[in-house]
Amino acid sequence: MAMILIVDDLLVNREVLRTILSSRGHRVLEAHDGAEALVTVGEEMPDLVVTDIVMPGMNGYQLVRELCSKPETTRLPVIFATANFVELEVMPLARAYGVRHVLTKADSLEKLCAAVEAELGGCVSPQSAAINEIGSPAD
C-alpha cells in the first residue's frame, strides 16, 4: 500500500487519520506542522500528504507552496483535511496549488477513502512499504 504523511497540530486528529489509514494497509508518517512535514518529506518521500490548513508555525497553504517550489516534490499529491472549511476561501487557494480534494474532519469515512484512492490513482510507488467512520475532532 501507500506511504501517507499526516500533518496536523493536534495529536487527536493525527490519531484518527492514522487509525483509519493504517487499518486500510497504508504506512502512516506524522508531522505536527508544515516545517516538520518538510523535514519528513526530505527523509522519506511519501506517496500522499493529508494536511490540516490552520496550524501554528507553517500552515497547510505554506506547506503546499514549499512542496510546489521544489522539483522533487512539485507533483506530490496533497489533500486538505480541515475543521474550518469555507469553500469560497479555501477552494481558490487549493486549486492554485493543485490540491484537488478538500475535506472536513466531519466528512464520512467513504469520502476520505475515495479522496485518498483518487490521489493515489490506484498505483503505489515502489518506495511505499506494505504494512476501517471518521469522527470530527476539533481543529
Side-chain angles (χ1 to χ4, degrees):
M1 296 305 293
M3 184 183 329
I4 301 173
L5 173 59
I6 299 168
V7 187
D8 198 303
D9 58 313
L10 294 179
L11 176 60
V12 66
N13 293 340
R14 293 193 313 269
E15 288 174 342
V16 168
L17 288 172
R18 179 180 1 100
T19 299
I20 292 167
L21 296 171
S22 63
S23 72
R24 298 231 178 312
H26 299 293
R27 179 172 173 225
V28 177
L29 306 171
E30 297 180 40
H32 72 275
D33 67 12
E36 184 181 15
L38 289 175
V39 171
T40 301
V41 167
E43 294 171 352
E44 290 190 73
M45 180 65 74
D47 299 298
L48 173 65
V49 175
V50 179
T51 185
D52 188 14
I53 296 173
V54 180
M55 297 178 285
M58 182 184 288
N59 65 39
Y61 294 126
Q62 294 165 322
L63 170 60
V64 172
R65 187 173 354 158
E66 288 295 316
L67 292 171
C68 289
S69 73
K70 298 176 181 165
E72 62 274 13
T73 55
T74 192
R75 299 184 63 84
L76 179 61
V78 176
I79 295 172
F80 282 146
T82 185
N84 301 314
F85 178 68
V86 180
E87 187 170 3
L88 292 175
E89 294 175 13
V90 174
M91 293 310 292
L93 285 169
R95 296 289 184 247
Y97 289 112
V99 176
R100 300 183 313 159
H101 295 93
V102 179
L103 306 173
T104 66
K105 292 175 183 169
D107 279 335
S108 69
L109 171 64
E110 293 79 22
K111 190 170 180 179
L112 169 67
C113 292
V116 167
E117 292 307 312
E119 290 300 335
L120 294 174
C123 297
V124 179
S125 74
Q127 63 198 345
S128 297
I131 312 277
N132 285 299
E133 181 127 345
I134 185 169
S136 56
D139 196 6

